[in-house]
Amino acid sequence: MLLFPFRAARPANRPKFPTTVASLLLLPLLTPTVLHAQTEATLQEVTVSGARETGYRARTARVAGFDDAPLRDIPAAVSVVTRERLDDQQARLLSDVIKNDASVGENYAPVGYYENVNIRGVPLDLATGYQINGMSSVGEQNVMLENKERVEILKGLAGLQAGVLAPAGLVNYVTKRPADVRDITVGTDQRGSRYVAADFGTRFGSAGSGPQPFGLRLNLVHEDMHSYVNHADGHRNGGALAFDWNLTPSTVLQLDAEYQKRAQRSVPGFQLLGGTALPHDISPRQMLNNQPWSQPVTMESHNLNLRLDHTFSDTWRGAVSASRSRAIIDDNVAFPYGCYAVPSCDPSMPGATPGQYFAADGSYDVYDYRSPGDKRRNDQLQATLTGNLGTDTIRHEVTFGASVFRRTVDLREGLFDWVGSDNIYNPTPLVFAPAAREPGPSYRALDSRQRALFVQDRIRLGGRWQIVAGARQVWLKERTPSQDTTRSELLPQAAVIYQPTAALSFYGSYSKGLSLGGQAPAWTTNAYAFLAPTVSRQWEAGVRYDWREALTLSLTAFRLSKPFEYAQPDTSAMGNTFVQQGRQVHSGLELAATGRVTSRLQLSASVTALRARQEDTGTPAFDGQQVINAPRFRSALFADYSIPGVEGLAVLGGWSYSGSKHATRDGLVAIPAVHRFDAGLRYTTRLGATRSTFYLMVDNLLDKRYWKDVGETLGDGYLHRGAPRTVRLSARFSF
């Protein structure tokens, strides 16, 4: 079961801003001499490996294939959040990244726990939906961003790229490569959080007139997090190493290793009152599980990637990659859930609240949940061979590949014991004694193995037409304590691209995906059973236009069909049975613009209109309704404007809108639509020989109160409050 963590209460006498950090942030205002100032517009873009790509507009991505490719040649909807945008927004978590794309939203992302997202209304697969440098990484972690050059998001089916996964897409983190860099970043916020990160890199060795053969890059981070939620503080420490070695002029070895340990009290979600109403007058600072015996949830993650590239000739090259991703989670929390022990939820009473919700008056049960040492591990080995064949008239760019993937999950026989009941409106929360039992021994909860062969052929017909066709044959074998699953499936993908000019590109595509079946909730008749794997299909068409090689405009239309899984009300012993019946059909339009509008203004903007309907479910009240946690309309905008006459100063601003989201499958309960505004400043100057950049960002400028997501986990729905107004300051010094 997924639960949530915490951190010790913050000291009452701590300063609002740490003195040393505040002094650094105010330094450019206090110093009498500014030797030199630079604007971002004067920076020259370079393409040397490991160099920083400036601006919000990316030109390539690897998430849609097996290596970097120009975006104009990718027949899929891909968005890229560059390092510059991550810095401007002072991004620390995936939730900070996804706010840049209107098609992506939070899906069960409690403060202090690992986060998940949905893309086009479909939750991402924690087992296979996340990658680092194109290789699988465990989704049950908060991946450190300090060593990432960009974050890529592939929207829609990705069966050819990743095999068995949910039909939402992929999130790929691309690491920084070694380069000559020496950066220190410090930061804080109005609650006194402390942040310091170091980014050091170099290239060395003698190689005549060629590139230096060795490169190293080290990223270190320490953060003390003072949460906006009471009693939910935490801290994290992390480090990452990137190593490049040019073994020969045609052979390159790359190694990436990262480690992070995070400890924080997590913030549990609220649940619908009586199963039919939203909680009201809830402060975003309210913590429901502040028992004296509850502990921070500790998450320790390791990610290791090794890649060897070799160029055989002018037309053929190959790569072998190996990766291991591992997360260890200690869950020890007081968990508020349901109301089985509350009298008004007694199923023998007429109109009783179903036990998996909070009671109508706000009463809820508290459980002592302990599951220490939960382990998730993803191992992958992949080899690819790419070659160019044909003539100038018809040219083939062919990729052959093989992949072996294994995921294991080891859990303790967790403790989940009721210790008492309370009420969300109680001004003095009750204190309960912890359970007397202890967690049981560890066991192998999942052993999942995938073997795959894949091929892709990009056929260039002259200079304007491309046909991209490929398929992945996947063999899946999965074992749990209660059942075994064996499945083989061919996952095809085909697309046509038409490029009438170098700046304009049209495409249409079809793809097929295979996903694992969901697990039945505890309150259904077939509790904990896994349903059979399901097949999804997607059709997509899009157009991209590069305006003056500065601004990329795109329009995408899509239609996704997948089987519908839900707890179907019936006359069984538990009153519900988890089934696959009917289908979800997600159709939508996406409009995006990223890059420079003028020499002083750059922006990232996107709009998504989504119709995600449940059809033929067998429950008339559910048919035709929008799926839960998927707004019909969402928009996102972030802009950077350099102020004329004040060299180095830029104004930053963001606006996001999310339409109403259904919280129940019958559509009778929904969280309201919300507008959110952010504003900030960036100032770049030189302090002696040190290039210094100072950032001020105010998130949720108008201090809007809102519910940020109504996502599900293991069949249960939770509501999470959005953060109140937060002022953040940081400074980066480049030596």
Side-chain angles (χ1 to χ4, degrees), residues 2 23 39 111 155 200 247 270 273 343 359 454 565 580 720:
L2 300 178
S23 299
T39 64
V111 171
K155 292 172 278 188
F200 298 134
L247 296 167
F270 291 77
L273 305 187
F454 54 87
E565 298 182 335
Q580 292 171 348
H720 295 98

Side-chain angles (χ1 to χ4, degrees), residues 125-309:
D125 196 323
L126 287 168
T128 51
Y130 294 89
Q131 298 181 340
I132 297 176
N133 294 334
M135 299 293 284
S136 176
S137 68
V138 169
E140 293 91 346
Q141 62 172 311
N142 289 315
V143 174
M144 64 180 293
L145 296 178
E146 284 74 17
N147 68 322
K148 306 303 186 294
E149 187 61 33
R150 64 183 188 267
V151 181
E152 304 171 341
I153 301 171
L154 170 63
K155 292 172 278 188
L157 265 63
L160 175 61
Q161 294 80 7
V164 181
L165 77 166
L170 288 169
V171 171
N172 182 44
Y173 299 89
V174 180
T175 58
K176 298 174 180 176
R177 300 315 318 155
D180 291 324
V181 60
R182 290 176 297 279
D183 289 350
I184 296 289
T185 302
V186 295
T188 188
D189 59 30
Q190 87 269 26
R191 288 180 288 273
S193 298
R194 293 178 289 273
Y195 176 86
V196 59
D199 184 0
F200 298 134
T202 187
R203 297 203 68 90
F204 57 94
S206 175
S209 59
Q212 293 172 295
F214 300 102
L216 286 173
R217 192 154 186 171
L218 178 67
N219 286 93
L220 300 171
V221 62
H222 171 76
E223 184 175 13
D224 290 314
M225 300 165 287
H226 295 298
S227 174
Y228 63 88
V229 183
N230 295 330
H231 315 293
D233 293 352
H235 64 272
R236 70 179 175 109
N237 294 289
L241 177 69
F243 173 68
D244 288 356
W245 183 9
N246 297 325
L247 296 167
T248 71
S250 57
T251 306
V252 178
L253 179 68
Q254 294 182 339
L255 170 70
D256 287 275
E258 62 186 62
Y259 168 83
Q260 182 173 245
K261 187 171 184 179
R262 183 185 186 102
Q264 185 178 8
R265 280 193 167 191
S266 70
V267 180
F270 291 77
Q271 294 183 284
L272 293 176
L273 305 187
T276 60
L278 297 173
H280 57 85
D281 298 325
I282 299 298
S283 168
R285 297 174 175 81
Q286 184 172 348
M287 169 72 91
L288 289 181
N289 59 353
N290 184 36
Q291 294 294 319
W293 41 268
S294 62
Q295 299 293 320
V297 170
T298 301
M299 295 182 287
E300 188 174 1
S301 59
H302 313 73
N303 297 297
L304 179 67
N305 285 49
L306 184 68
R307 176 174 172 132
L308 180 68
D309 287 273

